[in-house]
Amino acid sequence: MASITDKGMQARPGVADTWLTHSLQRGAGSLSGRITPAGERLFYFRYTDSTGARRLLPLGPYHPKGAAGLTLAQAFGRAAELSALYRSGVRDLREQRSG
Protein backbone atom coordinates (compact mmCIF):
# COMPACT_ATOMS: atom_id res chain seq x y z
CA MET A 1 0.00 0.00 0.00
CA ALA A 2 1.23 3.45 -0.88
CA SER A 3 1.00 6.59 1.24
CA ILE A 4 -1.90 8.98 0.61
CA THR A 5 -1.24 12.12 -1.43
CA ASP A 6 -3.42 14.25 -3.70
CA LYS A 7 -1.42 12.96 -6.66
CA GLY A 8 -2.02 9.38 -5.53
CA MET A 9 -5.75 9.94 -5.06
CA GLN A 10 -5.97 11.39 -8.57
CA ALA A 11 -4.18 8.42 -10.17
CA ARG A 12 -5.76 6.57 -13.06
CA PRO A 13 -7.98 3.69 -11.92
CA GLY A 14 -6.68 0.16 -12.43
CA VAL A 15 -8.45 -3.11 -13.11
CA ALA A 16 -8.74 -3.73 -9.34
CA ASP A 17 -9.17 -1.47 -6.34
CA THR A 18 -6.10 0.60 -5.49
CA TRP A 19 -5.59 1.21 -1.77
CA LEU A 20 -3.47 3.98 -0.25
CA THR A 21 -2.83 4.22 3.49
CA HIS A 22 -1.33 6.46 6.14
CA SER A 23 -0.91 5.28 9.74
CA LEU A 24 -1.78 8.02 12.20
CA GLN A 25 -0.15 6.58 15.33
CA ARG A 26 0.90 3.00 15.87
CA GLY A 27 -2.08 1.03 17.15
CA ALA A 28 -4.51 3.95 16.78
CA GLY A 29 -5.94 3.42 13.32
CA SER A 30 -5.09 4.68 9.86
CA LEU A 31 -6.51 6.73 7.03
CA SER A 32 -7.13 4.68 3.88
CA GLY A 33 -7.93 5.88 0.40
CA ARG A 34 -9.50 3.66 -2.24
CA ILE A 35 -9.70 4.11 -6.00
CA THR A 36 -12.17 1.74 -7.63
CA PRO A 37 -11.90 0.49 -11.22
CA ALA A 38 -14.89 2.75 -12.02
CA GLY A 39 -12.88 5.77 -10.86
CA GLU A 40 -14.61 6.33 -7.52
CA ARG A 41 -12.26 7.77 -4.89
CA LEU A 42 -13.19 7.17 -1.24
CA PHE A 43 -11.72 7.67 2.24
CA TYR A 44 -11.99 5.25 5.16
CA PHE A 45 -10.74 5.07 8.74
CA ARG A 46 -9.29 1.61 9.38
CA TYR A 47 -9.16 0.29 12.94
CA THR A 48 -9.47 -2.88 15.03
CA ASP A 49 -12.74 -3.24 16.95
CA SER A 50 -13.28 -4.76 20.42
CA THR A 51 -13.48 -8.29 18.97
CA GLY A 52 -10.10 -7.91 17.22
CA ALA A 53 -11.63 -7.64 13.73
CA ARG A 54 -10.31 -5.06 11.30
CA ARG A 55 -12.97 -2.55 10.29
CA LEU A 56 -13.30 0.15 7.66
CA LEU A 57 -15.40 3.16 8.65
CA PRO A 58 -16.41 5.21 5.55
CA LEU A 59 -15.49 8.89 5.81
CA GLY A 60 -16.69 10.03 2.38
CA PRO A 61 -15.62 10.60 -1.21
CA TYR A 62 -12.44 12.44 -2.22
CA HIS A 63 -12.50 15.74 -4.07
CA PRO A 64 -9.31 17.81 -4.50
CA LYS A 65 -11.10 21.10 -3.75
CA GLY A 66 -13.74 19.72 -1.35
CA ALA A 67 -16.65 20.70 -3.62
CA ALA A 68 -18.13 17.21 -3.94
CA GLY A 69 -16.38 15.43 -1.11
CA LEU A 70 -13.47 15.67 1.30
CA THR A 71 -10.10 17.23 0.60
CA LEU A 72 -7.08 15.25 1.72
CA ALA A 73 -6.64 17.67 4.67
CA GLN A 74 -10.29 17.24 5.71
CA ALA A 75 -9.96 13.44 5.54
CA PHE A 76 -6.81 13.58 7.69
CA GLY A 77 -8.69 15.79 10.17
CA ARG A 78 -11.62 13.38 10.47
CA ALA A 79 -9.26 10.42 10.78
CA ALA A 80 -7.30 12.24 13.53
CA GLU A 81 -10.56 12.84 15.45
CA LEU A 82 -11.49 9.16 15.18
CA SER A 83 -7.98 8.13 16.18
CA ALA A 84 -8.21 10.30 19.32
CA LEU A 85 -11.56 8.71 20.17
CA TYR A 86 -10.04 5.27 19.61
CA ARG A 87 -7.05 6.09 21.85
CA SER A 88 -9.49 7.23 24.56
CA GLY A 89 -10.76 3.64 24.77
CA VAL A 90 -13.69 3.58 22.35
CA ARG A 91 -13.12 0.45 20.24
CA ASP A 92 -16.48 0.13 18.48
CA LEU A 93 -16.38 3.32 16.42
CA ARG A 94 -19.13 2.26 14.03
CA GLU A 95 -21.59 1.86 16.91
CA GLN A 96 -20.36 5.10 18.53
CA ARG A 97 -20.83 7.05 15.29
CA SER A 98 -24.35 5.74 14.59
CA GLY A 99 -25.50 6.09 18.18
Side-chain angles (χ1 to χ4, degrees):
M1 287 187 222
S3 185
I4 301 177
T5 63
D6 277 311
K7 185 176 180 179
M9 288 300 291
Q10 294 172 26
R12 182 179 301 235
V15 295
D17 285 349
T18 300
W19 287 90
L20 309 169
T21 191
H22 181 89
S23 293
L24 300 168
Q25 182 177 346
R26 185 167 174 80
S30 62
L31 175 64
S32 293
R34 175 181 167 211
I35 304 171
T36 68
E40 206 174 11
R41 288 154 172 78
L42 306 162
F43 286 119
Y44 299 88
F45 181 70
R46 191 179 78 197
Y47 67 100
T48 303
D49 70 12
S50 62
T51 68
R54 281 191 161 177
R55 300 287 179 202
L56 286 172
L57 184 64
L59 300 179
Y62 166 77
H63 190 274
K65 297 190 187 304
L70 301 170
T71 65
L72 186 58
Q74 289 170 328
F76 269 114
R78 286 194 183 174
E81 291 170 5
L82 289 167
S83 181
L85 187 60
Y86 187 85
R87 287 191 315 272
S88 76
V90 177
R91 293 294 182 256
D92 295 314
L93 295 173
R94 188 175 304 266
E95 289 78 13
Q96 179 76 19
R97 190 169 172 193
S98 64

